[in-house]
Amino acid sequence: MAMTSFSLSETVIDAAALTRELAQAGAGACVTFEGWVRDHNDGRAVLRLGYQAYASLAQSEGERILAEARDKFAILDVRCVHRVGLLEIGEPAVWVGVSAAHRGAAFDACRYIIDEVKSRVPIWKNEHYADGESGWLHP
Amino acid sequence: MAMTSFSLSETVIDAAALTRELAQAGAGACVTFEGWVRDHNDGRAVLRLGYQAYASLAQSEGERILAEARDKFAILDVRCVHRVGLLEIGEPAVWVGVSAAHRGAAFDACRYIIDEVKSRVPIWKNEHYADGESGWLHP
Amino acid sequence: MKCRVLYFAALRDHANTDAESVDTLASDARGLYAQLRARHGFGMDESRLRVAVNGEFAGWNHALRDGDEVAFIPPVSGG
Amino acid sequence: MKCRVLYFAALRDHANTDAESVDTLASDARGLYAQLRARHGFGMDESRLRVAVNGEFAGWNHALRDGDEVAFIPPVSGG
């Protein structure tokens, strides 16, 4: 299971199916995070986004983050999916789901995972602006 | 909108439909919490649960909590649904969803709401145990 | 005067009804609960309960009026 | 020796390719980036990048061997 908890996807993320994968009889809490494509960033109107990944390293780094979350927090199961390719406004770009016996660990682990994914996993966002320009974000 | 953000439900919670209601073009983050019926509590095997509510007060107190969350955190929209009646193991008993421009506010608001709902909204859980007993939880 | 009293959870099981009409001389919610506790043998101390009058949380000193709907709220366990 | 170099995001746009085979005399990743920066005119300073060798993060002093696959990782922006 640990080897398939993180994945990159070229197609729409199915949150309901992913949530069902987290179910266990001992699970009392499930926290999910979805990152949606916003229509603006830093004051510029955004039409759509493209995500590019270094796929093999993104996969191994993503799995490493999920393994860290399993070590640090009393959670039962976890999944993370990140989109690659072109996305429209409002589409989920990333989904994180965590199940646990109790909610504190589920919240903390979900927050940890998305923070680490955003800072460590080699995926880049290319914003296409309303003025016709586009640009890679390298914060 | 504020008057219909909190609801009690006698039927299965449709998380996907509720999540879609939170969508806005300016929303970059969506955090959800689901409370699932666990198969055990305090070391006793639980077969199923019954939830009883003081419906009119639960409704007004639930709406009050969601209004507080809108005041305290930079969020865009919010929903909370709590089940009443009999539930089987694994069913969602409560669902909270929050959308926001940024994830910090969404996590904080979602956590605030479920903590307050659990401590303030007049809803009671009756656990039916494997040994045939049942009992109201009054923590 | 008459009040309508609503019962939930353990209090409902104990009173064996979800609601009843009560003749009372109590001037406030505290006095009404003492009367009902004596009648039904509720084990739950006032300190563990909250009060609602006419669908809103209220204090134990809330003055009761004829026709009020009163609920004694045991510790909640939703979620 | 020859290394395979992978480019992503702004570096890919700048190099105008997603990968290339590079003849190098550089002994480590730092030297290889200096060589490629001179060739392609990358604006991004080494301090903003991370290095990966053969699919694993590595240090700038990582000694390169013939056939290594090297990637220079710009600041990421997933999520």
Side-chain angles (χ1 to χ4, degrees):
Chain A
M1 177 183 302
M3 289 311 293
T4 59
S5 298
F6 182 90
S7 59
L8 299 173
S9 172
E10 298 183 357
T11 56
V12 172
I13 294 170
D14 185 344
L18 288 162
T19 301
R20 281 192 297 274
E21 293 182 21
L22 297 174
Q24 295 190 16
C30 176
V31 173
T32 74
F33 171 83
E34 287 187 18
W36 293 342
V37 177
R38 279 186 298 149
D39 64 354
H40 65 277
N41 191 25
D42 275 338
R44 298 183 80 173
V46 175
L47 296 183
R48 54 182 192 159
L49 287 187
Y51 283 99
Q52 192 180 90
Y54 181 3
S56 60
L57 186 56
Q59 179 68 35
S60 59
E61 190 71 357
E63 293 290 358
R64 190 171 294 121
I65 291 166
L66 300 187
E68 290 166 7
R70 288 175 184 269
D71 282 346
K72 288 176 190 289
F73 307 102
I75 62 178
L76 291 169
D77 208 350
V78 59
R79 294 283 185 284
C80 178
V81 179
H82 201 296
R83 285 289 306 276
V84 289
L86 280 178
L87 281 77
E88 304 297 323
I89 302 299
E91 277 198 83
V94 58
W95 188 92
V96 181
V98 179
S99 61
H102 301 288
R103 69 188 182 283
F107 273 105
D108 292 345
C110 190
R111 182 72 198 258
Y112 175 82
I113 291 164
I114 186 61
D115 286 353
E116 295 297 307
V117 164
K118 286 176 76 91
S119 71
R120 290 163 50 186
V121 174
I123 298 175
W124 297 271
K125 183 188 309 198
N126 193 8
E127 292 188 336
H128 299 257
Y129 303 111
D131 58 16
E133 288 191 24
S134 72
W136 292 101
L137 272 66
H138 293 306
Chain B
M1 177 183 305
M3 288 312 294
T4 60
S5 297
F6 182 91
S7 59
L8 299 173
S9 173
E10 297 182 357
T11 56
V12 172
I13 294 171
D14 186 344
L18 288 161
T19 301
R20 281 192 297 273
E21 292 181 20
L22 298 174
Q24 295 190 15
C30 175
V31 174
T32 73
F33 172 83
E34 289 187 18
W36 293 343
V37 177
R38 279 187 298 148
D39 65 353
H40 66 276
N41 191 24
D42 275 339
R44 298 183 79 173
V46 175
L47 295 183
R48 53 183 192 157
L49 286 189
Y51 282 99
Q52 191 180 91
Y54 181 5
S56 60
L57 186 56
Q59 178 68 35
S60 60
E61 189 71 357
E63 291 290 358
R64 191 170 293 121
I65 290 166
L66 300 188
E68 291 166 7
R70 288 173 183 271
D71 283 346
K72 287 176 191 286
F73 307 101
I75 61 178
L76 291 168
D77 208 349
V78 60
R79 294 284 184 286
C80 179
V81 180
H82 202 297
R83 285 289 305 277
V84 289
L86 280 178
L87 281 78
E88 304 297 323
I89 302 298
E91 276 198 84
V94 58
W95 187 93
V96 181
V98 179
S99 61
H102 301 288
R103 69 188 183 284
F107 273 105
D108 292 346
C110 190
R111 182 73 197 257
Y112 175 81
I113 291 164
I114 186 61
D115 286 353
E116 295 299 306
V117 165
K118 287 177 76 90
S119 71
R120 291 163 50 187
V121 174
I123 299 175
W124 298 271
K125 182 189 308 201
N126 193 7
E127 292 188 335
H128 299 257
Y129 303 111
D131 59 16
E133 289 191 22
S134 72
W136 291 102
L137 270 66
H138 293 307
Chain C
M1 65 178 177
K2 270 192 192 314
C3 289
R4 179 91 181 150
V5 180
L6 310 181
Y7 296 117
F8 298 96
L11 292 184
R12 179 178 295 186
D13 288 0
H14 221 101
N16 206 27
T17 182
D18 59 352
E20 63 181 343
S21 186
V22 176
D23 276 304
T24 186
L25 297 171
S27 62
D28 60 10
R30 178 173 285 112
L32 178 61
Y33 184 66
Q35 174 187 346
L36 294 167
R37 194 176 180 184
R39 177 191 297 180
H40 293 296
F42 294 143
M44 220 176 270
D45 192 76
E46 173 190 314
S47 64
R48 300 196 62 209
L49 300 171
R50 284 182 295 167
V51 183
V53 178
N54 299 326
E56 296 287 346
F57 286 113
W60 283 99
N61 297 326
H62 188 97
L64 297 177
R65 295 188 298 188
D66 189 54
D68 276 350
E69 180 185 86
V70 183
F72 299 103
I73 313 282
V76 304
S77 51
Chain D
M1 66 179 177
K2 269 191 191 314
C3 289
R4 181 90 181 153
V5 179
L6 308 182
Y7 296 116
F8 298 97
L11 293 183
R12 180 179 294 185
D13 288 359
H14 223 99
N16 206 27
T17 182
D18 58 354
E20 62 181 343
S21 185
V22 176
D23 276 304
T24 186
L25 296 170
S27 62
D28 61 12
R30 178 174 286 112
L32 178 60
Y33 184 66
Q35 174 187 346
L36 294 167
R37 195 176 180 186
R39 178 191 299 182
H40 293 295
F42 295 141
M44 219 176 274
D45 192 77
E46 172 191 315
S47 65
R48 300 195 62 210
L49 302 171
R50 284 181 295 166
V51 183
V53 178
N54 299 327
E56 296 288 345
F57 286 113
W60 284 99
N61 296 326
H62 188 96
L64 296 177
R65 295 189 298 188
D66 190 54
D68 276 350
E69 181 184 84
V70 182
F72 299 103
I73 313 283
V76 303
S77 52

